[in-house]
Amino acid sequence: MKKLIGLFFEKALMTVGVLWSAFCILGIFASAAREEHRDNVPFACACLGIGIAMILSSKHKRKLRNRAEVYAMCLADKPESELAEIARTMNIPLEQAVRELEELIDKDYLNNIYIDRAEGRVKILSREKGGLKLINGYRFVTCKSCGGSNRITGGTEGKRCSYCKAPLTENSEATK
């Protein structure tokens, strides 16, 4: 559902951006044609900039979505993949692959994965629970009661499972 909403938003942003820009261009020509309206041209140009920004934002979102689909195919059916292997498959430098993966994770285009720079691997955390991601400084702890993965910072003292509300313990740690 989230993917459909994102796709709808992307297309709506493009459509509104194109229409907005077209009306602004008409406004620029109409204002420039009449002496008494020429001071409206800078405002119409600024509005055109907004339309162009909407179009560029939509294109960037489409690029991210397409890139996420390619990465998802590279990661499919493997609990772990080497970053170097992914970079070779994508035919891009390793650091570019890491930057792109981090951006896709940060912007929720890819969920349930963690980049382990120390090991040079990408790890799939969970296929059952949506929305899990690891950003620097966070780690995942698996609940002993229900098996749910919980994103936390620091120790587990005083922290509870976000699914069943059971207390989390240090020895239930799954991933750092």
Side-chain angles (χ1 to χ4, degrees):
M1 183 66 171
K2 187 177 181 180
K3 189 175 181 178
L4 287 174
I5 292 170
L7 185 59
F8 172 77
F9 180 72
E10 175 189 310
K11 295 208 179 280
L13 191 62
M14 176 63 82
T15 303
V16 170
V18 168
L19 291 173
W20 182 277
S21 298
F23 282 118
C24 290
I25 291 169
L26 289 173
I28 291 169
F29 285 123
S31 297
R34 302 182 101 188
E35 184 73 36
E36 62 271 11
H37 295 296
R38 285 208 177 119
D39 23 335
N40 292 336
V41 171
F43 176 73
C45 288
C47 288
L48 177 61
I50 293 170
I52 291 170
M54 284 189 253
I55 293 168
L56 293 176
S57 176
S58 173
K59 286 186 172 209
H60 182 67
K61 288 178 186 309
R62 181 177 39 202
K63 178 184 171 193
L64 288 175
R65 183 176 40 81
N66 290 342
R67 207 67 174 153
E69 288 173 4
V70 173
Y71 278 109
M73 286 189 287
C74 288
L75 299 169
D77 301 324
K78 295 184 221 169
E80 293 186 17
S81 298
E82 288 189 32
L83 285 167
E85 179 186 331
I86 293 169
R88 276 192 304 275
T89 302
M90 301 288 287
N91 199 25
I92 57 175
L94 178 63
E95 278 306 309
Q96 181 182 346
V98 171
R99 275 193 317 273
E100 287 181 357
L101 280 166
E102 286 175 341
E103 181 181 16
L104 293 169
I105 292 167
D106 192 44
K107 293 185 177 179
D108 282 335
Y109 284 89
L110 289 175
N111 293 315
N112 305 328
I113 67 168
Y114 162 63
I115 300 171
D116 187 338
R117 284 180 171 258
E119 291 183 22
R121 301 183 77 69
V122 175
K123 299 178 180 184
I124 296 176
L125 299 173
S126 167
R127 292 195 181 275
E128 301 162 7
K129 309 257 190 252
L132 300 178
K133 61 181 181 175
L134 189 66
I135 301 173
N136 293 336
Y138 291 97
R139 62 188 176 126
F140 280 87
V141 174
T142 301
C143 175
K144 284 186 172 181
S145 296
C146 71
S149 292
N150 296 272
R151 184 178 76 168
I152 65 168
T153 58
T156 57
E157 187 175 322
K159 299 209 169 99
R160 296 192 165 274
C161 175
S162 55
Y163 304 101
C164 72
K165 307 301 180 210
L168 296 174
T169 59
E170 275 302 321
N171 57 0
S172 64
E173 186 175 315
T175 310
K176 272 192 179 178

